[in-house]
Amino acid sequence: MALLPSKGVVISVPTLVLSVAAFTILLFFLLSAISSPSTPCSCSTPTEANSRKTGGEGISTSAEDIDWVRSRIEANGLHMQQNILRKGINPRTRQQQLQDLLQFKGISHYEGEEANNHTALPCPGELLVEEHHSNYGEPWAGGRDVFEFLAESSHLTPNSRVLEIGCGTLRVGLHFIRYLDPEHFHCLERDELSLMAALRYELPSQGLLYKRPLIVRGEDMDFSKFGSDTVYDLIYASAVFLHMPDKLVWTGLERLVGRLKPLEGRIFVSHNVKFCSRLGGEECTKRLANLGLEYRGKHTHDSLLFNHYEIWFEFRRFKA
C-alpha cells in the first residue's frame, strides 16, 4: 500500500480519493443553492394579512371611518359657512342652474350641426341639474342608509339577487347596483320621468351602465318580464305599499312569494304594513301563512348624515 510522505500522519490513497470526492459533491450542492433563484415566500405581507382579517370592503360606515373624517375636519379647521358668492364659486339654485344651462349652454359647447355629433347620450337639462334628487321627502343621501340596512339585514353578497318594487330614480338602487354582480338588480317602476332619470342620467353619470340592471316599466304588480325562474335573496318596497290599495299589495305578495328564496330570503316593507294590520293581527297572520310567509318583526335604522331613522317590517318565506 503506497504511503504519502507526511510529518507523522499516514493517509492511504483510497481514503484521500474518497475525501476529495465528498468535498467536491458538497461544494457542488452549496454553489447550486447559492446560484439558484430563491423560492417565493409563501407568507403573507402585512397588507395582505390585514386585508384578509377585515374580509374586504364593509357595507356600513365603521366607527373608525367616522373618527377619521372628524379628524380631517378638525385638522383642516373646517366650520360650516354660508354658501354665498366668493372667489371661484357662484352658488345657484337648481332652477337658476337650469336657466343658465338653457340660455348659455355651459362655458364651452358645440354649435349648429356639431352640437349633435359629440355627445353620445344627450341628457335633458332638468336631469343634468339633478332636479329629480328633490323628488323625495328626505335628502338624496338617505338612499345609502336604506341600502346599508337592507344589505346587512339580508346578509347579502355580491352574488345575491335583489328586486326593488318602485325604484324611482335609483336613490337606493344605485348602491345595490354598484355592490351586486352585473344583472343581479331588478326593479319595477311605473313613473316615466323617474325611469328617464335612472337610465339617462344616474347610471351613465355613476359609471354603472356595465352592470346592466333589469329596470322595467310596469304597474299593477306585474312581474312577468323578470322571467319565471329568477329567485331573489331580497325583495323590498320603500314607501311604496302605503300608496297602493290593500288588495293590490296582497296580489303582489301572492305573485312574489314563489320568487323569494325559502327561509333565507327576505321581504322588507318600509313605513307601515297597514295592508296587513287593517285585517287584524290574527287574520293578517293567517293570510300571510296561507301564502307561505311569516312576519319576522319591526326594525329601525338610524341615518348616518341627518336626524332621521327608517322603519322596516321584515317577512320571510317559511316553506318551499
Side-chain angles (χ1 to χ4, degrees):
M1 180 172 58
L3 301 176
L4 293 177
S6 63
K7 296 182 179 180
V9 178
V10 179
I11 304 175
S12 65
V13 172
T15 301
L16 181 62
V17 171
L18 289 174
S19 299
V20 172
F23 177 78
T24 303
I25 293 172
L26 178 63
L27 182 63
F28 172 80
F29 282 111
L30 180 63
L31 292 174
S32 298
I34 294 174
S35 61
S36 63
S38 59
T39 303
C41 178
S42 61
C43 55
S44 301
T45 63
T47 302
E48 292 172 338
N50 184 64
S51 175
R52 291 170 186 166
K53 180 180 179 181
T54 57
E57 181 183 358
I59 292 178
S60 290
T61 301
S62 68
E64 290 77 9
D65 296 332
I66 295 174
D67 289 342
W68 175 83
V69 73
R70 284 176 172 168
S71 70
R72 291 301 83 211
I73 293 172
E74 182 178 354
N76 286 285
L78 303 180
H79 301 279
M80 193 61 195
Q81 304 291 335
Q82 286 188 341
N83 190 24
I84 58 177
L85 181 66
R86 52 205 186 275
K87 187 175 181 179
I89 298 178
N90 181 19
R92 313 291 281 166
T93 64
R94 294 194 194 279
Q95 188 58 43
Q96 290 171 331
Q97 189 180 7
L98 178 58
Q99 184 59 37
D100 290 346
L101 188 62
L102 296 176
Q103 184 175 352
F104 303 111
K105 303 178 183 179
I107 296 175
S108 56
H109 57 274
Y110 296 101
E111 295 284 2
E113 294 182 0
E114 292 293 299
N116 299 319
N117 296 335
H118 297 273
T119 304
L121 291 171
C123 191
E126 292 83 353
L127 301 182
L128 289 174
V129 301
E130 299 180 344
E131 285 187 343
H132 57 280
H133 283 194
S134 302
N135 287 354
Y136 305 92
E138 57 192 47
W140 179 262
R144 177 71 193 186
D145 299 320
V146 175
F147 162 73
E148 290 183 2
F149 168 75
L150 294 177
E152 292 192 330
S153 298
S154 305
H155 307 290
L156 296 187
T157 66
N159 191 47
S160 300
R161 294 186 180 273
V162 174
L163 170 65
E164 180 175 5
I165 304 169
C167 61
T169 57
L170 298 180
R171 186 175 73 107
V172 179
L174 282 176
H175 302 285
F176 278 106
I177 293 168
R178 185 177 291 110
Y179 176 74
L180 296 172
D181 290 340
E183 302 181 4
H184 280 215
F185 179 82
H186 294 177
C187 159
L188 181 69
E189 173 59 51
R190 61 176 301 200
D191 184 64
E192 183 174 7
L193 180 58
S194 294
L195 289 170
M196 288 290 283
L199 294 169
R200 295 192 64 177
Y201 179 76
E202 293 298 338
L203 289 176
S205 69
Q206 297 294 324
L208 293 174
L209 290 174
Y210 77 99
K211 285 299 190 84
R212 301 291 195 274
L214 180 55
I215 300 175
V216 174
R217 184 184 183 185
E219 50 188 330
D220 296 334
M221 303 292 265
D222 180 6
F223 305 102
S224 59
K225 294 182 180 179
F226 295 103
S228 58
D229 57 349
T230 303
V231 177
Y232 297 103
D233 300 273
L234 169 65
I235 299 172
Y236 72 96
S238 178
V240 172
F241 285 0
L242 67 164
H243 300 300
M244 289 183 178
D246 292 354
K247 182 178 180 181
L248 182 57
V249 174
W250 283 107
T251 298
L253 290 175
E254 184 177 356
R255 294 170 178 172
L256 287 170
V257 67
R259 297 172 178 268
L260 183 66
K261 184 178 292 185
L263 301 178
E264 297 177 359
R266 291 293 185 270
I267 294 177
F268 278 94
V269 178
S270 74
H271 291 69
N272 64 61
V273 286
K274 290 185 177 179
F275 68 90
C276 200
S277 59
R278 275 190 279 256
L279 296 174
E282 186 176 338
E283 181 61 26
C284 174
T285 301
K286 179 180 177 181
R287 191 157 183 180
L288 286 171
N290 288 339
L291 294 178
L293 293 173
E294 66 176 350
Y295 174 60
R296 300 286 291 177
K298 176 182 176 181
H299 308 273
T300 59
H301 178 67
D302 294 338
S303 172
L304 175 67
L305 297 178
F306 62 109
N307 184 17
H308 173 79
Y309 63 89
E310 293 279 341
I311 301 174
W312 289 92
F313 299 85
E314 177 187 358
F315 303 85
R316 77 165 182 171
R317 180 182 175 188
F318 66 86
K319 62 181 180 181

